[in-house]
Amino acid sequence: MTSPTSTRPDQLPAPVLGYLTAHVAHDADAALRGFAPTAVVVDDGTTYRGTDEIRRFLSRAGAEFSYTTDLVGAQRIDGAHWVVTNRLEGDFPGGVVDLRYRFAVDGDLIAELVIAP
């Protein structure tokens, strides 16, 4: 695997940009369009597999809190792997957290997303 390189957000692959835009807008349907039918999402120790489970995750994730999201970093790991760091600030426990969104992209779709501090 090559060394990660910092990148500008506009250089991220289209499905990653689409997901990030939809995430900020709290638009689960738009976010889901970027995922492969067999994609996997891991968040807070729970794994979501396939379109139906990912749709449930997207519609519920963070819904009980009000928060803002700021992209604070992006790295290209290799041609298929990207890491985006978002800072969330809001009324959730702790109030501020930097989350790393590790994307695996297959063609024009997200195959895997792992979200972790």
Side-chain angles (χ1 to χ4, degrees):
M1 190 175 277
T2 60
S3 296
T5 56
S6 291
T7 189
R8 294 188 330 256
D10 65 344
Q11 294 176 320
L12 293 166
V16 172
L17 281 173
Y19 170 84
L20 294 171
T21 300
H23 173 73
V24 169
H26 304 287
D27 186 341
D29 290 332
L32 187 62
R33 285 193 283 274
F35 286 90
T38 58
V40 173
V41 173
V42 179
D43 181 46
D44 200 25
T46 303
T47 300
Y48 305 88
R49 296 180 190 282
T51 303
D52 291 339
E53 289 184 13
I54 294 172
R55 181 188 320 278
R56 279 193 299 277
F57 159 74
L58 291 170
S59 64
R60 295 178 186 162
E64 65 270 25
F65 304 110
S66 296
Y67 60 91
T68 59
T69 304
D70 291 309
L71 191 147
V72 295
Q75 292 182 313
R76 179 178 186 219
I77 306 304
D78 58 32
H81 297 91
W82 304 79
V83 176
V84 174
T85 303
N86 279 325
R87 177 164 295 136
L88 280 61
E89 295 186 35
D91 60 2
F92 51 87
V96 178
V97 65
D98 286 348
L99 293 178
R100 292 170 40 96
Y101 293 68
R102 294 183 306 239
F103 292 91
V105 178
D106 185 8
D108 291 333
L109 295 171
I110 298 166
E112 182 179 69
L113 169 58
V114 177
I115 304 170

